[in-house]
């Protein structure tokens, strides 16, 4: 036996292609979408801190609300006082103007004013009409 190789070289009939190395794609490492939770050691709460804090917050809120309501009440009382003063002033002015109007009405409805008006407008007064007719009138108002 000889030392010659036992295989034959195979030749394929296909066109020659320039082989270009494919670009390397980096694959991102796998990331777990879940959030990692790191547990921390819990501190033991001071039993006096929480009630004291609550008492302080309660006191501050109570003081703020009481101050605001007191201020609002004083503002409303001052407004009512001013409204009362202006109403009293309007009442005095109305009474004064009513008195002036009443004096004018009394002056215009008096017998002398009506007699003067009838004479200036060409009318005869009641006394002139009675004298013209010559009718006697009793003090009781009956004619004779």
């Amino acid at each position: 036996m000889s030392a010659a190789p036992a295989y034959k070289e195979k030749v394929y009939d296909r066109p020659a292609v320039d082989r270009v190395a494919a670009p390397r794609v980096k694959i991102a490492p796998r990331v777990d979408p879940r959030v990692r939770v790191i547990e921390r050691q819990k501190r033991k709460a001071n039993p006096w801190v929480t009630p004291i804090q609550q008492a302080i917050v309660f006191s501050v809120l109570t003081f703020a609300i009481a101050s605001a309501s007191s201020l609002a009440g004083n503002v409303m009382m001052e407004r009512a006082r001013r409204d009362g003063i202006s109403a009293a002033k309007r009442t005095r002015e109305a009474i004064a103007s009513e008195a002036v109007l009443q004096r004018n009405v009394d002056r215009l409805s008096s017998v002398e004013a009506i007699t003067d008006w009838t004479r200036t407008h060409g009318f005869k007064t009641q006394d002139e009409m009675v004298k013209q007719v010559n009718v006697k009138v009793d003090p009781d108002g009956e004619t004779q």
Side-chain angles (χ1 to χ4, degrees):
M1 291 221 152
S2 72
Y7 66 92
K8 281 187 174 180
E9 202 173 297
K10 294 184 182 178
V11 177
Y12 296 103
D13 294 332
R14 60 180 180 187
V17 177
D18 290 338
R19 297 197 181 233
V20 178
R24 283 188 169 211
V25 177
K26 289 188 178 181
I27 298 175
R30 185 168 181 234
V31 178
D32 192 8
R34 291 176 284 162
V35 177
R36 291 187 348 187
V37 177
I38 300 173
E39 291 188 24
R40 294 187 181 150
Q41 193 176 22
K42 293 182 180 178
R43 283 199 247 170
K44 188 175 180 182
N46 187 349
W48 292 101
V49 172
T50 304
I52 291 173
Q53 287 176 344
Q54 290 175 348
I56 291 172
V57 169
F58 176 76
S59 299
V60 168
L61 286 177
T62 303
F63 177 74
I65 291 171
S67 299
S69 64
S70 175
L71 178 64
N74 286 338
V75 168
M76 287 189 281
M77 289 296 290
E78 181 64 23
R79 182 176 294 157
R81 186 182 71 82
R82 287 184 184 176
D83 288 346
I85 291 170
S86 64
K89 181 179 176 183
R90 286 193 310 269
T91 303
R92 284 192 302 271
E93 291 172 357
I95 290 172
S97 63
E98 183 184 3
V100 169
L101 291 174
Q102 186 63 42
R103 282 194 301 269
N104 289 340
V105 168
D106 290 342
R107 183 178 51 84
L108 293 174
S109 62
S110 68
V111 176
E112 295 84 18
I114 294 173
T115 305
D116 291 341
W117 184 86
T118 54
R119 286 188 186 137
T120 56
H121 287 84
F123 295 103
K124 292 184 179 181
T125 62
Q126 188 176 12
D127 295 335
E128 292 173 353
M129 298 281 291
V130 170
K131 289 178 184 175
Q132 186 178 5
V133 177
N134 291 327
V135 177
K136 293 184 178 177
V137 179
D138 287 340
D140 297 334
E142 295 178 7
T143 56
Q144 293 179 351

